[in-house]
């Protein structure tokens, strides 16, 4: 028996030896968790700093592995280029990732903020192989739309482009405009093509910030568009110190694309020419490459967020209110480069505030593709210490001057059917901009029976620009948010009066007050007898003669208007409510096209409910004008469509 067992064991050992000699592997199977599955499918050199599963499998096909490629990178990449048994898609996608991994290693090893030439070369190699994969393989990008590998390769291209463009940018100031090509890291950089305008005739940024790594506090959402290219914030020179009342944006989005010229795959892989395209995503939603229309990536929030973060508005607004520095006259701030074929939205902030009041409103409007393609946003930044009548006059002038500067004939879409949006005191001013005064505001001027007819006429001449006006003809829709049209008792509170007493009015306004006093008294006014000019807090009191008189002015019949009110801790009927600052009875307007009450404090404009309502109103306005731009389709200039009154 023992002999038989020994004989049987010998047979088993012999069979096992033959199996091993024949190379017969034992196949096992096991389950992975969803997290492990996702990691295997999506991890790559960008997400984990390790090569993706797709690239590792490609290396296996040509008898290579990760360690061999790390030890001899040149041999590894040449083997991939020359080996049979690989289709172009596998070959090129693996090379794009390998070169990107190599670039990141060279970049990190350098230790300085300046990208070294070997790293720049590697980034360009990666971008070129990714570019070739996307556009010079038998299948076009649309045929691979559902493949994870294409998404990875697109990320490789975009990141490599971001790093290379950052290096190119450092050269641009020394190159100027009179050049056609420049050698860099063994490549021939062709003169960039750009349509990114930074205001004041400037097309070359002074600073370029990759948008990919930016995160913002205070902004609820970041709005971007997936696509081809690397997203940047392009920052131009500070606006010139001039008397012009408008400021073009010098923080704008930029999408960078690197093109590698060639008619065939071998041409692209053989070239060392590279051209940079800098595209304005407000204008360009796609680019044509290799006879294919490719959607462009974009980040619309990043420039706005960087601008606000660097603005210093928070301290300026308080200093301006108190008359101790800050802004001294109104300005119109364009949130994007002027477009004559987009409708215009103009926003006015409230007391002791600034454009930061619209931080989420503007971001949500620009983030809505349909509204972004239809509208452009202007914000009026003005000193909130001045009387309402003075601000109304000055704001109307700067808006008119801005419109005339960009559209001298007044025929552009941007100059017609403007939407005016005002919050708090900005809402009061907005209402006056669309109202007709007639002679109703003269009751706010104290009656002086002892004045001669000549002196009365002189008084009227001084005050007429502030007290007699007509609606702005360009505005056909207005939205008032938490606006104290009839004033607020809060302005009479002890704290408000204390703050009001701290306010210093501009010297020019005090000089006008002296002229008025001279006209009324017929002699030089002393400090004791001069007429006191009410400031903004005075005007917002529900007992102020001006606010009481202005609340009765008729709004232009050509203007559609809407109200949004805040309701803070509602305990009874809506008519008895308030937003903590403004009573409902003061914010309500008869005849409004719509009214929305939002459970909110006075800063109702920042609530999601109010923003949704504003987006609804803007869509309604554009749709009635036949100007609403559908997303996902080629943008049609609004001027080529019928524009009719709502």
């Amino acid at each position: 028996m023992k002999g038989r067992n020994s004989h049987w064991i010998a047979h088993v050992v012999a069979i096992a030896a033959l199996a091993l000699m024949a190379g017969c592997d034992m196949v096992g199977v096991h389950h992975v968790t969803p997290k492990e599955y996702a990691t295997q499918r999506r991890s790559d050199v960008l997400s984990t700093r390790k090569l993706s599963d797709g690239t590792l499998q490609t290396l296996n096909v040509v008898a290579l592995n990760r360690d061999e490629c790390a030890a001899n990178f040149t041999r590894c990449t040449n083997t991939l280029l020359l080996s049979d048994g690989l289709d172009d898609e596998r070959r090129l996608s693996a090379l794009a990732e390998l070169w990107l991994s190599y670039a990141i290693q060279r970049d990190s090893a350098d230790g300085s903020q300046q990208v070294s030439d070997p790293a720049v070369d590697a980034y360009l190699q990666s971008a070129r192989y990714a570019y070739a994969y996307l556009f010079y393989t038998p299948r076009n990008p649309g045929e691979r739309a559902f493949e994870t590998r294409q998404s990875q390769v697109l990320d490789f291209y975009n990141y490599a482009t971001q790093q290379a463009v950052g290096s190119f940018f450092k050269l641009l100031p020394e190159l100027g405009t009179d050049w056609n090509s420049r050698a860099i890291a063994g490549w021939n950089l062709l003169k960039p093509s750009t349509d990114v305008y930074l205001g004041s005739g400037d097309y070359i940024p002074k600073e370029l910030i990759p948008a990919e790594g930016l995160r913002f506090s205070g902004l609820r959402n970041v709005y971007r568009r997936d696509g081809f290219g690397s997203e940047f914030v392009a920052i131009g020179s500070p606006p010139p110190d001039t008397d012009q009342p408008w400021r073009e944006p010098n923080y704008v989005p930029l999408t960078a694309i690197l093109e590698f010229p060639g008619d065939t795959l071998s041409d692209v892989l053989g070239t060392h020419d590279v051209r940079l395209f800098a595209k304005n995503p407000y204008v360009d939603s796609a680019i044509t490459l290799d006879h294919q229309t490719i959607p462009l990536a974009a980040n619309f929030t990043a420039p706005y967020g960087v601008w606000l973060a660097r603005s210093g508005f928070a301290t300026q607004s308080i200093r301006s209110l108190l008359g101790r520095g800050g802004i001294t006259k109104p300005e119109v701030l364009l949130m994007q480069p002027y477009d004559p074929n987009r409708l215009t939205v103009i926003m006015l902030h409230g007391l002791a505030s600034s454009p930061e009041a619209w931080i989420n409103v503007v971001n949500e409007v620009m983030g809505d593709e349909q509204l972004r393609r239809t509208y452009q946003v202007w914000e009026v930044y003005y000193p909130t210490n001045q009387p309402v009548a003075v601000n109304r006059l000055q704001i109307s002038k700067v808006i008119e001057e801005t419109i005339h500067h960009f559209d001298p004939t007044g025929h552009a879409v941007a100059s017609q059917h403007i939407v005016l949006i005002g919050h708090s005191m900005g809402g009061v001013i907005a209402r006056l901009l669309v109202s007709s005064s007639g002679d109703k505001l003269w009751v706010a001027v104290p009656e002086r029976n002892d004045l001669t007819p000549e002196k009365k006429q002189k008084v009227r001449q001084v005050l007429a620009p502030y007290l007699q006006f007509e609606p702005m003809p360009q505005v056909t829709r207005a939205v008032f948010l938490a606006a104290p049209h009839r004033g607020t008792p809060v302005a009479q509170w002890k704290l408000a009066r204390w703050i009001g007493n701290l306010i210093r009015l501009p010297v020019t306004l005090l000089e006008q007050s002296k002229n008025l006093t001279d006209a009324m008294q017929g002699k030089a006014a002393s400090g004791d007898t001069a007429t006191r000019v009410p400031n903004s807090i005075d005007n917002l009191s529900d007992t102020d003669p001006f606010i009481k008189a202005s609340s009765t002015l008729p709004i232009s019949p050509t203007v559609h208007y809407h109200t949004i009110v805040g309701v803070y801790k509602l305990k009874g009927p809506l008519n008895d409510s308030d937003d903590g600052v403004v009573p409902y009875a003061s914010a309500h307007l008869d005849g409004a096209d719509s009214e929305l009450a939002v459970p909110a404090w006075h800063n109702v404009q920042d609530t999601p409910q109010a923003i949704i309502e504003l987006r609804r109103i803007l869509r309604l306005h554009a749709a009635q004008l036949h100007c609403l731009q559908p997303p996902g389709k080629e943008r049609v200039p609004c001027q080529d469509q019928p524009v009719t009154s709502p």
Side-chain angles (χ1 to χ4, degrees):
M1 189 69 177
K2 183 177 180 180
R4 287 184 180 180
N5 287 340
S6 300
H7 184 69
W8 180 80
I9 292 172
H11 276 290
V12 171
V13 171
I15 292 172
L18 288 173
L20 289 172
M21 292 174 63
C24 180
D25 293 332
M26 301 299 292
V27 175
V29 61
H30 69 281
H31 293 282
V32 297
T33 66
K35 181 178 180 180
E36 291 172 328
Y37 170 79
T39 299
Q40 290 176 2
R41 293 275 293 172
R42 299 172 188 171
S43 66
D44 54 44
V45 68
L46 288 178
S47 60
T48 64
R49 290 296 188 262
K50 296 179 180 179
L51 296 177
S52 66
D53 189 56
T55 294
L56 292 176
Q57 290 185 26
T58 301
L59 292 177
N60 289 338
V61 172
V62 294
L64 291 171
N65 59 48
R66 180 173 22 215
D67 294 337
E68 289 174 313
C69 284
N72 193 330
F73 185 76
T74 301
R75 176 180 174 276
C76 174
T77 54
N78 285 339
T79 300
L80 278 175
L81 270 175
L82 302 175
S83 293
D84 293 329
L86 290 176
D87 60 42
D88 286 336
E89 288 187 6
R90 295 192 70 175
R91 187 193 319 275
L92 296 173
S93 63
L95 284 166
E97 185 171 15
L98 285 166
W99 274 105
L100 184 57
S101 176
Y102 185 79
I104 292 172
Q105 292 171 16
R106 300 284 80 71
D107 209 352
S108 303
D110 184 75
S112 67
Q113 293 185 346
Q114 183 75 27
V115 180
S116 64
D117 279 359
V120 172
D121 172 58
Y123 282 126
L124 290 172
Q125 295 279 7
S126 174
R128 179 173 61 176
Y129 284 118
Y131 184 87
Y133 165 91
L134 292 168
F135 305 118
Y136 287 87
T137 48
R139 293 192 298 167
N140 63 48
E143 295 176 282
R144 296 186 294 248
F146 296 103
E147 296 184 13
T148 302
R149 190 55 170 168
Q150 177 162 273
S151 297
Q152 289 178 316
V153 175
L154 178 59
D155 287 341
F156 302 157
Y157 172 88
N158 288 346
Y159 184 80
T161 296
Q162 172 188 297
Q163 298 302 104
V165 169
S167 296
F168 296 164
F169 172 72
K170 294 179 174 63
L171 296 174
L172 294 181
E174 68 182 60
L175 294 177
T177 57
D178 189 21
W179 64 285
N180 292 314
S181 63
R182 169 69 153 80
I184 176 173
W187 292 74
N188 187 34
L189 173 62
L190 305 178
K191 188 173 182 178
S193 171
T194 181
D195 64 355
V196 176
Y197 178 63
L198 292 148
S200 304
D202 195 1
Y203 286 86
I204 300 178
K206 299 298 181 290
E207 186 178 356
L208 200 63
I209 303 175
E212 181 67 27
L214 298 177
R215 298 295 182 268
F216 302 97
S217 59
L219 283 166
R220 278 197 291 269
N221 298 306
V222 172
Y223 286 101
R224 56 180 306 279
R225 181 174 63 210
D226 287 332
F228 186 66
S230 186
E231 307 150 19
F232 287 92
V233 178
I235 303 173
S237 300
D241 187 14
T242 66
D243 290 332
Q244 67 184 33
W246 61 86
R247 292 288 182 268
E248 296 182 82
N250 62 325
Y251 288 74
V252 301
L254 180 153
T255 301
I257 299 97
L258 293 180
E259 180 191 40
F260 300 88
D263 294 326
T264 65
L265 175 60
S266 60
D267 289 343
V268 171
L269 296 183
T271 188
H272 270 70
D273 288 344
V274 57
R275 184 183 300 278
L276 167 63
F277 288 90
K279 309 300 289 183
N280 173 5
Y282 278 115
V283 176
D284 308 307
S285 59
I287 188 173
T288 300
L289 296 169
D290 190 37
H291 309 293
Q292 300 177 59
T293 300
I294 308 300
L296 287 176
N299 190 316
F300 298 99
T301 295
Y304 183 57
V306 174
W307 174 66
L308 285 172
R310 295 184 176 186
S311 66
F313 285 141
T315 56
Q316 286 180 20
S317 58
I318 299 299
R319 292 170 59 200
S320 176
L321 171 66
L322 298 177
R324 289 163 171 79
I327 189 171
T328 59
K329 56 185 178 180
E331 296 177 344
V332 177
L333 309 178
L334 279 65
M335 295 294 102
Q336 64 194 72
Y338 174 78
D339 187 337
N341 298 321
R342 278 182 166 92
L343 294 168
T344 303
V345 178
I346 301 178
M347 299 183 180
L348 283 78
H349 60 78
L351 181 72
S353 190
S354 72
E356 281 190 315
W358 304 112
I359 178 171
N360 283 300
V361 178
V362 173
N363 187 46
E364 297 295 323
V365 170
M366 292 193 296
D368 185 309
E369 183 182 355
Q370 199 170 44
L371 297 182
R372 182 176 63 243
R373 289 161 62 89
T374 305
Y375 288 98
Q376 58 196 330
V377 177
W378 298 359
E379 295 189 28
V380 177
Y381 185 27
Y382 65 98
T384 62
N385 59 340
Q386 298 188 142
V388 169
V390 173
N391 268 325
R392 185 217 64 82
L393 175 63
Q394 293 184 350
I395 289 171
S396 66
K397 285 183 177 180
V398 299
I399 292 176
E400 292 280 4
E401 290 176 25
T402 304
I403 292 172
H404 181 74
H405 169 75
F406 289 104
D407 179 26
T409 67
H411 294 153
V413 169
S415 304
Q416 306 172 50
H417 302 287
I418 291 173
V419 180
L420 202 58
I421 301 176
H423 171 249
S424 191
M425 187 171 74
V428 175
I429 296 171
R431 183 184 184 280
L432 296 180
L433 291 173
V434 296
S435 299
S436 177
S437 67
D439 290 330
K440 293 185 177 181
L441 295 182
W442 288 105
V443 299
V445 180
E447 185 69 26
R448 289 289 301 270
N449 295 325
D450 58 337
L451 293 182
T452 65
E454 292 78 13
K455 289 181 180 178
K456 287 183 178 180
Q457 181 62 28
K458 191 170 183 180
V459 170
R460 291 187 73 90
Q461 288 176 349
V462 174
L463 292 179
Y466 304 101
L467 301 180
Q468 286 190 299
F469 47 82
E470 294 298 324
M472 291 188 65
Q474 301 94 336
V475 178
T476 59
R477 194 174 296 269
V479 186
F480 312 116
L481 298 100
H485 300 295
R486 300 170 186 83
T488 170
V490 172
Q492 290 297 320
W493 290 2
K494 186 174 181 179
L495 177 61
R497 298 307 311 150
W498 179 74
I499 294 174
N501 290 333
L502 295 177
I503 291 176
R504 295 176 184 172
L505 293 173
V507 173
T508 54
L509 189 59
L510 295 177
E511 290 175 350
Q512 292 172 354
S513 171
K514 181 179 181 299
N515 293 336
L516 176 60
T517 302
D518 291 347
M520 295 178 69
Q521 296 184 354
K523 58 181 179 180
S526 68
D528 295 331
T529 60
T531 300
R532 179 183 180 275
V533 180
N535 57 48
S536 53
I537 291 183
D538 295 324
N539 275 164
L540 294 181
S541 168
D542 55 3
T543 63
D544 180 71
F546 179 84
I547 201 75
K548 291 171 70 175
S550 66
S551 67
T552 66
L553 300 184
I555 294 176
S556 168
T558 64
V559 174
H560 290 249
Y561 58 96
H562 310 257
T563 60
I564 300 176
V565 301
V567 178
Y568 183 64
K569 296 182 179 179
L570 182 63
K571 297 179 181 178
L574 181 62
N575 289 342
D576 297 333
S577 69
D578 60 61
D579 62 13
V581 176
V582 176
Y584 169 84
S586 182
H588 170 79
L589 288 176
D590 291 334
D593 283 26
S594 66
E595 179 180 276
L596 176 68
V598 177
W601 176 253
H602 182 59
N603 290 334
V604 65
Q605 85 285 357
D606 200 46
T607 64
Q609 300 96 315
I611 292 173
I612 290 171
E613 174 69 356
L614 284 172
R615 289 165 68 169
R616 181 194 71 81
I617 292 169
L618 291 175
R619 280 198 180 88
L620 171 68
H621 182 70
Q624 291 182 341
L625 297 173
H626 307 291
C627 285
L628 198 62
Q629 299 287 339
K633 295 185 179 180
E634 183 178 354
R635 184 172 178 270
V636 179
C638 189
Q639 64 181 4
D640 292 341
Q641 301 187 34
V643 178
T644 58
S645 297

